């Protein structure tokens, strides 16, 4: 039995035209009778959906008196009901017919303020009317398109092929668990249309004239109706919040929203976007030829990327204003400063002339309490991005299971060590775990002193290796700075090999600086050198790239004298330099000891020392090494997740490609602005040296500070 026969037999309508319509849950046909009347025939092939289809018909009949000609009306068949089970060309099905609504799709209309107001008013009136409707089948329905159950879509995460996009969805699902789910039981609920997307809304002359497709009816939180409609009026907009706020204002006039509902709307909108892209990815995997299924996928991804860049506080404040509620003021900076100084020493520095009150972060963005979003081009600790969901969830899972010290056997410890040490040459095969880069530097020196039974340590000028007493002793950046006590007797400071402004420049600078360093070593610590420690790129010294052959020659000199070579990778390690995983690899050397920290746990306190088996054995001299927190299962789980993300998202390659682009563009700027004396670094470990003029190369200290603070005013975080 074909479509025309079905219509003729069940509804006694002789159709002269039929057209198949798009859809994913039923077969839909536009029907035009010989008298010009229009209908939509719906053939449902999933017999299990019968209770929900019947509920949809009941709801449409309930609303028909108030929304005549705006909502589809179920048509009675020859059996005097609105739904019938029938065998036809599609098999065993349920069949029904609805009135046809005229109009253009909202997706194809210009979203003017007038149209958005009409849309908001219409949805407000509809939801207000639906307060009087209840259906047990809908109330018991649990499915992925109901936002309170959006986490059902997590099962489709693996179908999102691009890990750099998948992480956005994982992040917002995590935020839903943390920020939304605990509050859902306390929000108003009602039966809702639950799918007011731009292909279900009909418009004409800047007014909403119809709403179709009630197949996703849900008994859910009232605010979800706005959360679902919002993305479709924000697609492709420079300011996604503007259209949403117009909609909210109009909706609120018809059906007042509660403050606690608006507080969750930012994350609920994200949940709708995430549900949409998950479903599209899964459906495309199953039906790669069905274009309708993924019709909103690209704009959804685009909006999701914009959404992460919006400070949630800003969004909530805009929503509150639209509904006529007062904005909640941010705490005063002066009050926060006063309280900070009440309890902490002023030795704890604060960045910027105008301090920032940070309250949240996501990937490359940080959010302040005033609703601003900052691009974080500064923080050298969240290696794979702030609040990366894989890292956060790894810590949560392990913390809920076990956290203890290394005196017990636990798979997390050995599994992480195996994964981390695979990133090193075979001879670097022993790992000590601590909880800060400072502790790691301190431990590395202790190991070197024990192994060599010597006391002299060679360091690089301007180097920084931590905040412990020993860390400061080996850090000229500290002991020569304000409050420093000067160099200790067992420390030899080697001149920083600055090929830009130092005394040796040009292609032979590395050799010349190395010869100078070797002469100092031979003349001052010949028989007592325990170790040389240096950053692979000198960060605090001004992002100084060690010139070619410098480190290789110095390592050779130190080893010939019986000392050990320690590479400080606390800032530059874990793929930051782009071309290599470790900074020391830039110089074609293999250290005896490597110090790890900062990015190792993506802001979680984990650090380490890697060395050889022979050196580790010499340190096992009877004195136990124990760190209360070093190597605990939670830290190991987090460290392991960081390594997984680095590989999965190819972040080392990303650092190389983006870093090269930065260098290219900065050097282009340098041609027009001679105050840019030098652009240097590798990957995303970069620096710009500002000078008063390119001849004298005198540091433009004040200008550099002004640039840093002006970048902050433009919501970009950088450091000097």
């Amino acid at each position: 039995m074909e479509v025309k026969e079905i219509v003729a037999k069940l509804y006694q309508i002789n159709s002269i035209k039929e057209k198949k319509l798009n859809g994913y849950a039923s077969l839909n046909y536009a029907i035009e009778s010989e008298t010009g009347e229009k209908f939509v025939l719906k053939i449902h092939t999933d017999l299990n959906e019968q209770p929900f289809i019947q509920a949809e018909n009941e709801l449409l009949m309930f609303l028909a008196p108030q929304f005549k000609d705006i909502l589809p009306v179920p048509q009675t068949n020859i059996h005097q009901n609105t739904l019938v089970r029938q065998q036809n060309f599609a098999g065993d099905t349920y069949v029904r017919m609805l009135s046809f609504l005229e109009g253009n799709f909202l997706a194809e209309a210009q979203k003017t303020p007038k149209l958005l107001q009409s849309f908001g008013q219409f949805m407000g009136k509809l939801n207000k009317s639906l307060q009087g409707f209840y259906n047990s089948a809908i109330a018991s329905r649990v499915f992925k398109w109901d936002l309170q159950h959006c986490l059902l879509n997590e099962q489709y995460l693996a179908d999102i092929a691009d890990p750099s996009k998948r992480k956005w969805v994982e992040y917002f699902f995590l935020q839903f668990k943390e920020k939304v789910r605990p509050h859902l039981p306390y929000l108003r609920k009602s039966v809702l249309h639950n799918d007011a997307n731009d292909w279900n809304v009909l418009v004409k002359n800047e007014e909403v004239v119809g709403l179709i497709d009630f197949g996703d009816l849900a008994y859910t939180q009232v605010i979800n109706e706005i959360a679902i409609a919002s993305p479709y009026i924000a697609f492709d907009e420079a300011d996604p919040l503007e259209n949403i706020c117009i909609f909210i204002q109009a909706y609120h006039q018809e059906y007042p929203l509660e403050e606690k509902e608006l507080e969750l709307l930012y994350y609920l909108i994200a949940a709708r976007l995430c549900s949409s892209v998950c479903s599209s990815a899964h459906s495309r995997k199953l039906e790669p030829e069905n274009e309708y299924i993924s019709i909103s996928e690209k704009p959804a991804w685009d909006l999701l990327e914009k959404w992460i860049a919006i400070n949630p506080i800003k969004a909530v404040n805009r929503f509150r204003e639209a509904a006529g509620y007062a904005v909640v003021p941010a705490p005063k900076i002066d009050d926060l400063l006063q309280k900070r100084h009440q309890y902490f020493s002023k030795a704890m520095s604060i960045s910027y002339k105008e301090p920032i009150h940070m309250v949240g972060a996501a990937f490359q963005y940080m959010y302040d309490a005033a609703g601003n979003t900052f691009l974080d081009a500064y923080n050298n600790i969240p290696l794979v991005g702030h609040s990366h969901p894989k890292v956060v969830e790894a810590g949560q899972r392990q913390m809920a299971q076990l956290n203890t010290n290394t005196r017990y056997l636990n798979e997390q410890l050995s599994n992480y060590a195996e994964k981390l040490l695979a990133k090193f040459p075979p001879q670097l095969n022993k790992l000590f775990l601590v909880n800060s880069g400072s502790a790691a530097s301190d431990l590395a020196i202790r190991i070197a002193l024990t192994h060599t039974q010597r006391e002299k340590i060679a360091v690089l000028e301007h180097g920084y290796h931590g905040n412990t007493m020993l860390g400061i002793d080996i850090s000229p950046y500290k002991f020569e700075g304000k409050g420093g006590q000067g160099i200790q007797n067992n420390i030899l400071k080697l001149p920083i090999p600055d090929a830009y402004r130092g005394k040796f420049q040009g292609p032979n600078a590395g050799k010349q600086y190395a010869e100078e360093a070797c002469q100092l070593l031979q003349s001052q610590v010949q028989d007592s050198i325990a170790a040389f420690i240096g950053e692979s790129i000198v960060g605090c010294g001004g992002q100084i790239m060690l010139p070619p052959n410098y480190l290789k020659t110095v390592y050779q000199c130190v080893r010939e004298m019986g000392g050990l070579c320690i590479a400080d990778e606390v800032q530059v390690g874990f793929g930051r330099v782009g071309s290599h995983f470790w900074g020391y690899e830039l110089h074609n050397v293999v250290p005896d000891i490597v110090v790890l920290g900062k990015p190792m746990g993506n802001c979680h306190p984990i650090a380490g020392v890697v060395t050889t088996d022979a050196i580790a054995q010499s340190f096992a001299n009877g004195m136990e090494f124990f760190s209360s927190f070093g190597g605990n299962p939670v830290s190991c789980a987090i460290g392991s997740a960081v390594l997984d993300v680095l590989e999965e998202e190819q972040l080392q390659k990303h650092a190389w490609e983006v870093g090269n682009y930065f260098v290219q563009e900065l050097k282009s700027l340098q041609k027009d602005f001679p105050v840019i004396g030098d652009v240097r670094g590798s990957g995303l470990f970069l620096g710009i040296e500002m000078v008063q003029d390119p001849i004298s190369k005198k540091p433009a200290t004040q200008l550099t500070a002004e640039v840093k603070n002006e970048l902050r005013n433009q919501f970009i975080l950088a450091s000097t």
Side-chain angles (χ1 to χ4, degrees), residues 105-367:
F105 290 114
L106 176 62
E108 299 170 330
Q110 183 179 356
K111 297 174 182 64
T112 64
K114 182 179 178 182
L115 176 55
L116 295 171
Q117 289 169 358
S118 174
F119 187 20
Q121 289 170 350
F122 171 77
M123 295 306 297
K125 289 178 181 177
L126 178 68
N127 289 168
K128 188 175 182 179
S129 299
L130 284 171
Q131 291 180 92
F133 180 84
Y134 179 82
N135 179 278
S136 59
I138 297 300
S140 63
R141 191 179 198 183
V142 177
F143 71 133
K144 66 180 183 179
W145 291 115
D146 183 348
L147 283 185
Q148 64 183 323
H149 303 304
C150 69
L151 296 177
L152 292 172
N153 291 285
E154 283 188 309
Q155 63 187 307
Y156 306 130
L157 281 169
D159 296 330
I160 301 173
D162 185 348
S164 65
K165 290 185 174 180
R166 189 190 315 129
K167 69 180 181 183
W168 302 338
V169 180
E170 293 171 329
Y171 167 78
F172 277 122
F173 279 155
L174 177 61
Q175 297 306 307
F176 182 90
K177 296 172 188 175
E178 298 296 321
K179 307 282 180 61
V180 178
R181 190 165 58 181
H183 302 284
L184 292 179
Y186 309 104
L187 301 182
R188 296 180 298 171
K189 296 182 77 172
S190 172
V191 174
L192 304 179
H193 177 274
N194 200 51
D195 193 18
N197 72 63
D198 49 1
W199 292 101
N200 285 340
V201 180
L202 301 174
V203 302
K204 186 177 181 181
N205 297 329
E206 296 186 283
E207 288 190 5
V208 171
V209 295
L211 180 66
I212 61 174
D213 194 353
F214 283 69
D216 285 344
L217 286 176
Y219 181 72
T220 189
Q221 289 73 21
V222 171
I223 192 63
N224 290 346
E225 194 84 281
I226 295 177
I228 290 167
S230 291
Y232 305 99
I233 57 177
F235 285 162
D236 303 319
E237 297 293 329
D239 178 7
L241 298 177
E242 185 174 353
N243 284 1
I244 297 173
C245 287
I246 295 173
F247 178 92
I248 289 173
Q249 184 179 35
Y251 183 102
H252 184 72
Q253 290 173 354
E254 298 293 335
Y255 188 24
L257 292 161
E258 297 180 352
E259 293 179 72
K260 59 185 176 182
E261 293 171 328
L262 294 169
E263 295 292 327
L264 303 178
L265 183 55
Y266 169 85
Y267 293 108
L268 287 167
I269 292 172
R272 172 63 179 196
L273 287 165
C274 292
S275 299
S276 177
V277 297
C278 280
S279 182
S280 295
H282 181 64
S283 298
R284 188 173 56 255
K285 177 182 176 182
L286 299 178
E287 301 180 57
E289 304 302 321
N290 191 334
E291 295 181 4
Y292 175 75
I293 289 172
S294 57
I295 194 169
S296 298
E297 185 174 20
K298 185 183 184 305
W301 280 120
D302 291 344
L303 181 55
L304 199 58
E305 184 173 11
K306 289 180 181 178
W307 210 245
I308 290 176
I310 296 173
N311 187 324
I313 292 175
K314 177 181 179 179
V316 171
N317 285 341
R318 294 277 295 275
F319 298 156
R320 289 178 62 87
E321 286 180 319
Y325 293 115
V327 170
V328 179
K332 293 181 179 179
I333 294 294
D334 288 344
D335 292 343
L336 294 173
L337 281 171
Q338 183 179 355
K339 191 169 185 179
R340 177 186 174 109
H341 294 324
Q342 179 181 352
Y343 297 110
F344 298 98
S345 166
K346 289 186 178 181
M348 291 174 55
S349 63
I350 301 174
S351 294
Y352 303 108
K353 293 177 181 177
E354 297 181 31
I356 307 170
H357 177 196
M358 292 298 187
V359 294
F363 304 110
Q364 69 268 43
Y365 300 114
M366 298 188 78
Y367 310 129

Side-chain angles (χ1 to χ4, degrees), residues 71 96 122 151 262 268 340 343 417 434 457 573 584 625 710:
L71 303 181
R96 62 186 176 130
F122 171 77
L151 296 177
L262 294 169
L268 287 167
R340 177 186 174 109
Y343 297 110
V434 290
I457 307 296
Y584 68 75
F625 168 75
E710 183 55 31

Side-chain angles (χ1 to χ4, degrees), residues 412-642:
Q412 287 286 5
L413 180 65
S414 54
N415 290 346
Y416 176 56
E418 182 178 28
K419 188 182 292 187
L420 178 63
L421 290 174
K423 300 292 185 181
F424 289 93
Q427 62 266 45
L428 293 172
N429 59 6
K430 284 295 184 290
L431 173 65
F432 296 84
L433 289 172
V434 290
N435 56 284
S436 75
S438 296
S441 293
D442 192 294
L443 176 61
I445 297 299
R446 282 179 52 203
I447 291 173
L449 296 175
T450 302
H451 179 76
T452 62
Q453 293 297 297
R454 295 176 173 185
E455 61 177 6
K456 299 287 187 179
I457 307 296
V459 301
L460 276 178
E461 182 183 13
H462 302 310
Y464 173 67
H465 304 287
N467 61 17
T468 65
M469 182 66 76
L470 182 53
I472 290 173
D473 285 349
I474 60 174
S475 299
Y477 179 74
K478 287 294 184 182
F479 68 64
E480 291 185 330
K482 291 181 179 180
Q485 300 299 310
I487 192 166
Q488 299 297 308
N489 292 332
N490 67 322
I491 304 299
L492 172 65
K493 183 182 69 173
L494 303 179
I496 191 165
D498 184 350
Y500 169 68
R501 63 150 18 90
K503 62 180 177 180
F504 301 124
Q505 299 175 26
N508 294 321
K511 179 182 177 183
Q512 292 170 304
Y513 275 117
E515 288 175 350
E516 180 184 47
C518 290
Q519 289 173 4
L520 285 169
L521 288 164
Q522 290 165 354
S523 64
Q524 299 193 31
V525 293
Q526 174 74 51
D527 299 321
S528 57
I529 180 72
F532 162 71
I533 184 170
E535 299 165 271
S536 304
I537 299 176
V538 185
C540 289
Q543 301 293 98
I544 302 297
M545 293 289 290
L546 304 179
N549 296 315
Y550 173 81
L551 201 60
K552 193 169 188 178
T553 303
V554 171
Y555 271 25
Q556 182 179 345
C557 290
V558 170
R559 284 170 172 156
E560 287 175 353
M561 297 177 193
L564 300 180
C565 299
I566 304 173
D568 185 333
E569 294 281 330
V570 169
Q571 291 202 90
V572 300
F574 292 92
R576 282 190 192 279
V577 298
S579 57
H580 300 84
F581 200 78
W582 305 112
Y584 68 75
E585 294 176 297
L586 292 167
H587 307 284
N588 196 26
V589 298
V590 177
D592 301 301
I593 301 174
V594 182
V595 179
L596 309 175
K598 291 188 192 300
M600 195 171 177
N602 209 55
C603 288
H604 178 83
I606 178 174
V609 174
V610 175
T611 189
T612 66
D613 187 63
I615 294 172
Q617 284 188 29
S618 69
F619 190 62
N621 61 0
M623 180 186 291
E624 177 197 27
F625 168 75
F626 176 71
S627 170
S628 296
F629 303 111
N632 70 76
V634 171
S635 295
C636 290
I638 288 172
S640 182
V642 169

Side-chain angles (χ1 to χ4, degrees), residues 623-682:
M623 180 186 291
E624 177 197 27
F625 168 75
F626 176 71
S627 170
S628 296
F629 303 111
N632 70 76
V634 171
S635 295
C636 290
I638 288 172
S640 182
V642 169
L643 293 176
D644 290 342
V645 172
L646 282 170
E647 183 174 344
E648 183 179 58
E649 297 182 16
Q650 300 183 61
L651 292 183
Q652 181 182 332
K653 178 184 176 185
H654 179 76
W656 182 244
E657 292 173 348
V658 177
N660 286 340
Y661 171 78
F662 260 116
V663 170
Q664 174 187 324
E665 294 300 306
L666 289 168
K667 286 187 174 180
S668 178
L669 278 178
Q670 188 179 22
K671 296 174 184 177
D672 298 323
F673 298 94
V675 293
I676 299 177
D678 194 25
V679 177
R680 56 180 178 253
S682 180

